[in-house]
Amino acid sequence: MTTATIPLELNRKDFVSDQAVRWCPGCGDYSILAQMQKTLPDIGVPKENIVFISGIGCSSRFPYYMNTYGIHSIHGRAPTLASGLQIANPDLSVWVITGDGDGLSIGGNHLLHVIRRNVNLNIILFNNRIYGLTKGQFSPTSRSGKRTKSSPMGSIEQPINPLVMAMAANATFVARTIDSNPQHLGDILHQAAMHKGASFVEVYQNCVIFNPSEWDGLGDRKVRDENIIFLEDGKPMVFGKESNRGLRLRGYKPEIVDLGDEYSEEDLLVHDVTQKDLASILSVMEYPESPVPMGVIRKVEMPTYSDGLLAQVAKAQMTKGVGDLAKLFHSADTWTI
Amino acid sequence: MSDSTDLFNELESVVIRFAGDSGDGMQLTGTQFTNTAAVIGNDVSTMPDFPAEIRAPAGTLAGVSGFQVNFSSRDILTPGDTPRVLFAMNPAALKVSVPALESGGTIIVNSDAFTRSNLAKAGYESNPLEDGSLEGFQLIDVPLTSLNREALKDIEELSTKDKDRCQNFFALGMAFWMFDRPLDMTVDWIQKKFAGKDAVIEGNIKALHTGYYFGETTRTFQHRYRIRPATLPPGTYRKVTGNEAMAMGLVTAAKKMGKTLFYGTYPITPASDILHSLATLRNFDVRTFQAEDEIAAMGSVIGAAFGGALAVTGTSGPGVALKSEAINLGIMLELPMVIINVQRGGPSTGLPTKTEQSDLLQAMYGRNGESPIVVIAPSGPADCFNAAIEASRLAVRAMTPVFVLSDGFLANSSEPWLIPNPDDIPAIEVKHPQGRAADDAPFLPYKRDPETMARPWAIPGTQGLEHRLGGLSKEPETGNVSYVPEHNEQMNSDRAEKIARLAEVIPDQEVFGPEEGDLLLVSWGGTFGAVRSGVARAQRDGKSVAHAHLRYLNPFPKNLGDILKRYKQVIVPELNRGQLAFLLRGHFAMDIKSYSKMHARPFKISEITSKIEEALG
């Protein structure tokens, strides 16, 4: 691949393709696209080594707008193409762009397994809790009771929590961010890019047409600080406009407390991205049932799938010698006529 | 090792079948017998036949596992129609196998296993060893279990159950004596296989020897047989199954392309052995990927193809059904990949361990939209090697997915393979476009080669060739999403034309027999051996009949239409309900007759000759 000696003088514009962006005006996808194009020049990877792979859905048009290599594949299967590509060529920076329908409904199985294998990918799941491209049916993350075209009397299903699913697959990098906070979004994308292994990022993303009020309490500056706990590794979990609230553990349950006479920062949970139990507790918290943690929830180093595979190749070549066809053909009882 | 006073029947070929419970080790016994036959120079063709259940209830008809081997002093193409010698380890094995046995054939049974309970499990109302129902066969009953236990009684480390596990080697020993075969290859194999387990080695070797000397000392057998080595073309041979040959073919193709082999798959009978073989070849940088399902396997193959690997998947019909949407994406992205379908009995779960040829139309048409694909089929176990290489060559030439239709019979059967010199196998030419500077003309990912109509294979990591592929309809050359009607027409036409043009580089169809006349048999895939043998036999009987066996099913060879027109009758024998016949009728608008059979096993030679006689009157 391109050697690292070539100086990387890339800027945002290098990542903008010649295709007109066709998302609805006001769609949260624009923010994610802009932050991606802004972040990629800084990850130290030549442009030609970056690949975007998506499935089907509004979010999955993403690769067409990125001036990198890319595949707009089929519904739910982006992780499978990305796995094959990454295994064939482990030097690439491969991004999977998916949504709550693509990644958690039709492609739920693949998402689970690609994370479990720790394939070195960056998986960005746009969660708007609705089916957009098919014009407004409930999705696997829609809240119970959600009234949509396909659930006029309200959805009778329980939603799935994407981060809990990622944790079930023992994800090595789990984060959550939101389209309406570009700075935080850009920072999380950068951290996901720098992590070696399957990085899973849930982006709360707004569908202005079919689910416009889903994230109301998280976008508006007046109220958002009361509803979002921005996590920082090594720091106590303080939030609120006045930094006057915090998260503590009561028994095995997370609890929101007001700082003051009864509780101080010392009573609060201190974030540690390496602690799986803590990540499990944080991942359960979802908006609007509780204030929602945003940031890197878990980050640990583990060998990637390609690491394991290439180690086996090296070991086999050391013990058996580099593959020789003649030897292979004769590796059975032979006879000569 | 033979005693010179023995009387030998000199035979050209013998078909022998070992049958027992699925836990009795019959596959192993048959394989060992075959290996020895092959190494001493016979031509061999085998047919394992086992239930889908790993261990069906012991003693039942459902649990019978058989292994048929035809070994010969001349060139043979099938595992044989009717066994002459049967080793039956229990009543169920006897009951399942007797109908196929040659009249006057020899049956060796383990009489210890003919207990009241085993007879009942097999559905026998009276003991066939005593009731005269086996009259017309040479019946030899051997109390094999008790003889074997007696022979191994001094091996204290082995329990009675362990000793009984050695009894298949007792049977093998008898077979070796009967056919005047050396024991040393099997002895070597036992020593390697059970290295470190001395008691097991001792038990198995002792059982083998005891079975052999039992034959010699008791003179139970009226006949011993001798089959001289075959006069095959000179060279070094080994025995291969279709799945083994396929795996070696894929590795060879990757080497000949200078590519990494990526094999993304999901375990499925009867294709899994290809994965098992490839998984041992990490030293060839073979990257096997056991995906979470069939769809993921196909997706991973597309990703690996995009990344520049030789990307291959292997599956069976139900797996292809799941893969079809992703195969269509492969066709739309125009990336090279190979899809191996080891066909089994269908529809649905069907007959997982049995053979059929019923996925031809699925390969051709089992996807949405106009979805042209290359389809080829190997004709025998060893030919799977060539088919794997040919499929890879066509895939990269046309930048498209290629189907290889193997089947359960080819996959598990074995035959001698004349080992090629790897240096004699031609390289497979692969072109990747070079990188570009920023001010060069823009890269056109769908600009077609004027000769092959293939688009360029630009792989990620190449500077200046960044491009996006997708499943949506496209503009020619740029590949940009386009809903323009003319673009859709053009791209559909180009994809079809690209496949059709492969007819320019595939060999002309050959015909075995008269170049024109009364009757032509047209077959494809795993039925080659039976159809060719049947046609040859009919020709020896003075019949005017020819045979065309197709390797290329899409596109067809250029001269196929002309060939078909030169015969008064064309009959297509197939292990399906007439799928190739249907294709030929549609393609050539001719009266094509179908000879269909769906017994979930290969044609017998006699079935083909009967059909020829019927057709010629």
Side-chain angles (χ1 to χ4, degrees), chain B residues 17 19-21 61 64 86-98:
Chain B
R17 178 176 157 96
D21 225 33
L61 298 175
V64 173
L86 168 69
F87 282 82
M89 301 297 275
N90 67 9
L94 179 73
K95 190 163 195 184
V96 167
S97 308
V98 158

Side-chain angles (χ1 to χ4, degrees), chain A residues 48 68-69 72 87 320 335, chain B residues 237 280 287 461-462 468-469:
Chain A
E48 61 272 19
T68 63
Y69 284 91
H72 176 217
I87 294 165
K320 296 202 258 181
W335 66 97
Chain B
Y237 286 79
T280 65
R287 303 187 186 181
T462 317
R468 275 68 56 195
L469 302 174

Side-chain angles (χ1 to χ4, degrees), chain B residues 29 275 357 495:
Chain B
T29 308
L275 169 63
Q357 297 182 294
R495 285 189 293 267

Side-chain angles (χ1 to χ4, degrees), chain B residues 14-168:
Chain B
V14 168
V15 179
I16 164 170
R17 178 176 157 96
F18 297 94
D21 225 33
S22 54
D24 278 343
M26 291 297 100
Q27 300 304 320
L28 193 155
T29 308
T31 303
Q32 284 303 312
F33 188 87
T34 308
N35 286 353
T36 292
V39 170
I40 65 177
N42 294 132
D43 196 0
V44 295
S45 174
T46 71
M47 182 169 64
D49 167 27
F50 44 86
E53 295 77 15
I54 304 301
R55 293 276 187 277
T60 62
L61 298 175
V64 173
S65 167
F67 191 101
Q68 184 166 319
V69 48
N70 184 2
F71 57 111
S72 176
S73 59
R74 63 181 171 84
D75 186 15
I76 46 166
L77 301 172
T78 78
D81 286 5
T82 51
R84 173 184 291 235
V85 177
L86 168 69
F87 282 82
M89 301 297 275
N90 67 9
L94 179 73
K95 190 163 195 184
V96 167
S97 308
V98 158
L101 206 60
E102 187 178 299
S103 67
T106 302
I107 304 173
I108 298 110
V109 296
N110 174 11
S111 55
D112 287 335
F114 282 66
T115 60
R116 188 173 295 178
S117 128
N118 278 348
L119 287 166
K121 279 185 208 161
Y124 277 119
E125 284 173 7
S126 62
N127 188 342
L129 307 185
E130 293 161 0
D131 65 10
S133 61
L134 297 175
E135 226 169 87
F137 298 106
Q138 307 280 343
L139 178 67
I140 300 168
D141 48 2
V142 179
L144 203 149
T145 305
S146 39
L147 287 170
N148 182 63
R149 282 184 193 169
E150 176 65 19
L152 306 189
K153 68 171 191 268
D154 296 335
I155 307 176
E156 286 169 6
E157 295 89 333
L158 297 183
S159 65
T160 305
K161 203 174 160 188
D162 293 336
K163 286 171 186 160
D164 288 351
R165 283 209 185 112
C166 301
Q167 79 192 12
N168 58 328

Side-chain angles (χ1 to χ4, degrees), chain B residues 436-459:
Chain B
R436 291 171 181 228
D439 48 358
D440 285 354
F443 173 62
L444 296 171
Y446 279 81
K447 189 170 170 64
R448 298 182 185 281
D449 179 291
E451 187 194 345
T452 64
M453 304 277 288
R455 69 173 198 88
W457 189 7
I459 54 176

Side-chain angles (χ1 to χ4, degrees), chain A residues 102-115:
Chain A
D102 189 64
L104 296 168
S105 190
I106 192 167
N109 188 32
H110 308 307
L111 194 60
L112 196 61
H113 290 281
V114 77
I115 295 172

Side-chain angles (χ1 to χ4, degrees), chain A residues 1-2 6 17-19 22 46-53 56 61 63-75 77 79-90 92 106 109-111 113-114 116-117 119 305 308-310 312-314 316-318 320-337, chain B residues 35 38-42 185 230 232-239 248 251-252 255-256 262 280-293 295-304 306-309 325-326 329 333 335 385 416-417 419-422 425 458-472 480-481 483:
Chain A
M1 297 303 102
T2 308
I6 298 168
S17 82
D18 60 356
Q19 297 294 296
R22 296 190 191 177
K47 188 164 68 106
E48 61 272 19
N49 281 5
I50 299 175
V51 186
F52 279 84
I53 299 186
I56 294 291
R61 295 297 177 100
Y64 288 125
Y65 309 137
M66 295 295 302
N67 188 20
T68 63
Y69 284 91
I71 297 180
H72 176 217
S73 78
I74 44 177
H75 207 5
R77 320 301 174 197
T80 71
L81 278 87
S83 295
L85 176 61
Q86 225 292 324
I87 294 165
N89 191 344
L92 301 173
I106 192 167
N109 188 32
H110 308 307
L111 194 60
H113 290 281
V114 77
R116 172 179 73 83
R117 294 189 185 105
V119 182
Y305 188 93
L309 190 140
L310 294 179
Q312 287 191 353
V313 169
Q317 291 184 336
M318 190 130 68
K320 296 202 258 181
V322 174
D324 175 315
L325 288 177
K327 236 193 242 176
L328 171 66
F329 297 168
H330 288 83
S331 63
D333 289 334
T334 62
W335 66 97
T336 300
I337 291 168
Chain B
N35 286 353
V39 170
I40 65 177
N42 294 132
M185 268 161 274
L232 297 170
T236 298
Y237 286 79
R238 63 172 284 181
K239 197 194 64 159
M248 287 191 284
V251 175
T252 304
K255 275 254 180 188
K256 291 291 167 182
F262 176 89
T280 65
L281 302 178
R282 286 272 197 257
N283 61 323
F284 283 83
D285 194 14
V286 172
R287 303 187 186 181
T288 54
F289 175 62
Q290 182 179 310
E292 60 271 24
D293 60 32
I295 299 171
M298 197 63 226
S300 72
V301 164
I302 296 171
F306 186 54
E325 188 195 18
L329 180 66
L333 301 187
L335 286 168
F385 177 83
W417 177 45
I419 300 174
N421 179 346
I425 300 169
I459 54 176
T462 317
Q463 213 168 10
L465 303 189
E466 291 87 353
H467 64 283
R468 275 68 56 195
L469 302 174
L472 286 164
N480 288 334
V481 176
Y483 298 154

